[in-house]
Amino acid sequence: MKIERVDLLRLVMPLRTPFRTSLGLELRRDILLLRVVTSEGEGWGECVALPEPGYSEEYLDGAAEVIRRFLLPAVAALGELTPAKAVAAMAGIPGHPMAKATVEMAVLDAWLRARHTSYAAHLGSVRDVVECGVSVGIADSIDELVAEVRDYVAQGYRRIKLKIEPGWDVEPVRAIREQFPDAELQVDANAAYTLGQARVLAELDAFDLLMLEQPLGAADLRDHATLARKLRTPICLDESITSARSAVEAISLGACAIVNIKAGRVGGYLEARRVHDVCSAHGIPVWCGGMLETGLGQAANLALASLPGFTLAADIAPSERYFETDVTPSITMQDGLIAVPRGPGLGLEPVPELLEEFTTEVVSFSEFG
Ligand code: MG
């Protein structure tokens, strides 16, 4: 398979629910899609980076630049390529996992479509549906939070995840636990605490949480291990896990009992599968995180989340959770479950009219480097 042309597309998609980032409330999702046209057909990739650094160092404009100037030339220089070769060619460039994941996702999609194989089958899927959880941001008041969670419970989500930060932790979690005594409940701190705040985090032990996700800084594996010994609630790592290797290190230090896997964070779906594999080998359950993806990213996430070690509900939501209109045929949820796509490659693609409606810029090129 040879790359003949690529299109980098920028889309702006209005959000139904405002999304809180480090810069404030976002009412739109800026999207970067990559279409690769190869000698064997097309493939689609989606970049999960947000418009600004915050979740990690990467941001959308930076990722677009790295893809265009460095990653695609490295992959195109291979001539005849496979997804594994493409990943190896990009490995010489340090960092930029979300940018690399975008290229891998598109190459893998094209390669699998040409072989009439689904992402799910290729990754090693063992189930047809994935259990969906919902991630609930910091609210303006506890009353608003309770109302929001009540709505999600009514919609059928199997698990509720509350974002917490210093000053918005014990009281909102207590309120939700009181209102929803049987709910599968977990919290995510996005690295907002330090080990010195262990006492307040220990108060969360009272609420029978499935896990406390990424309480401390991404680099603070030892502090997570120390914190884990002070808490009853299992610690899950998200931002800290950037590769299968880092997962092994975190597990052997005792820094986590659960791992959140996001392909973008670890450089692609092939590495995400390796993270799953090493976690399973160590008896560590995993689940699939989300980054407000369109149907393209959600389709790949559904395939990943159908692997055997993904035993906890995913942050994978139906299209209507975020978007008025998705750019692909809508992903729908029934009884808190979403079906894993089984068609070739991602199993779906953008609807041409919707793609045109949301696209604000296309850069195409067929000469690399
Ligand atoms: Mg998280």
Side-chain angles (χ1 to χ4, degrees), residues 55 161 163 188 190 213-214 238-239 260 262 287:
Y55 169 78
K161 172 170 116 175
K163 294 281 187 178
D188 183 4
N190 285 106
E213 183 179 345
Q214 196 70 43
D238 173 350
E239 286 90 333
N260 164 334
K262 292 175 180 164
W287 58 283

